[in-house]
Amino acid sequence: MPKNRMSRFEVFIGTWNTSGEVLATEAGPAGVLRATDTYRWLPGKHFILHEVDARFDDQPTRSVEVVGYDLATKGYFARSFDDQGVSGLYAVELRGLRWRIDSESMRFDGRFSKDGDRLSGLWELKGASGRWQPWIRLMLERS
């Protein structure tokens, strides 16, 4: 049995109040994001279940995500599924206080506070021209 490579992700476990400033992009207008993010271990502590209950302005959206380590690729991943029928696969990296999420069309670069009770960062979307556009300035605060 492989050693548990997920122990560093303990910083996520719990419930977070999330707020964001949605910036105007090719994909849509500016707005406000409010959400509750809940992270909990799945049995064995090899995967984390991340549940999101969010509102983009007045539009509700819900999603679930599984975060884990893939032995075949030797990398960390997140696989998400939302209430619109969309799923996504992301490479994730937690190095010290820095948290990164990457895919072909979106990415996040954030940083935890030293006490681990806040995570702030920026989501970006890749536009039609192939250039990255700032999308959501995000702040998660532990409940």
Side-chain angles (χ1 to χ4, degrees), residues 36-92:
T36 300
D37 289 79
T38 304
Y39 294 84
R40 63 184 169 91
W41 289 112
L42 290 176
K45 292 190 171 183
H46 293 282
F47 298 96
I48 292 174
L49 179 65
H50 173 204
E51 297 172 279
V52 181
D53 186 358
R55 287 183 110 40
F56 282 89
D57 291 322
D58 289 328
Q59 188 69 16
T61 184
R62 292 196 170 113
S63 63
V64 295
E65 178 179 67
V66 175
V67 180
Y69 182 80
D70 185 333
L71 289 170
T73 64
K74 299 190 180 346
Y76 295 93
F77 70 90
R79 181 74 187 210
S80 68
F81 308 88
D82 73 18
D83 60 0
Q84 302 300 305
V86 177
S87 68
L89 179 61
Y90 306 89
V92 299

Side-chain angles (χ1 to χ4, degrees), residues 2-50:
K3 70 176 185 174
N4 191 331
R5 294 176 173 89
M6 291 296 294
S7 59
R8 72 175 75 177
F9 290 81
E10 181 71 32
V11 68
F12 284 99
I13 302 303
T15 301
W16 300 77
N17 296 315
T18 303
S19 59
E21 175 190 5
V22 180
L23 307 170
T25 65
E26 293 173 7
V32 175
L33 167 68
R34 297 275 182 256
T36 300
D37 289 79
T38 304
Y39 294 84
R40 63 184 169 91
W41 289 112
L42 290 176
K45 292 190 171 183
H46 293 282
F47 298 96
I48 292 174
L49 179 65
H50 173 204

Side-chain angles (χ1 to χ4, degrees), residues 8 10 13 30 34 65 97 108-110 120 131 136 139:
R8 72 175 75 177
E10 181 71 32
I13 302 303
R34 297 275 182 256
E65 178 179 67
L97 299 175
F108 177 79
D109 191 5
S120 59
R131 294 179 49 160
I136 305 173
M139 170 71 75

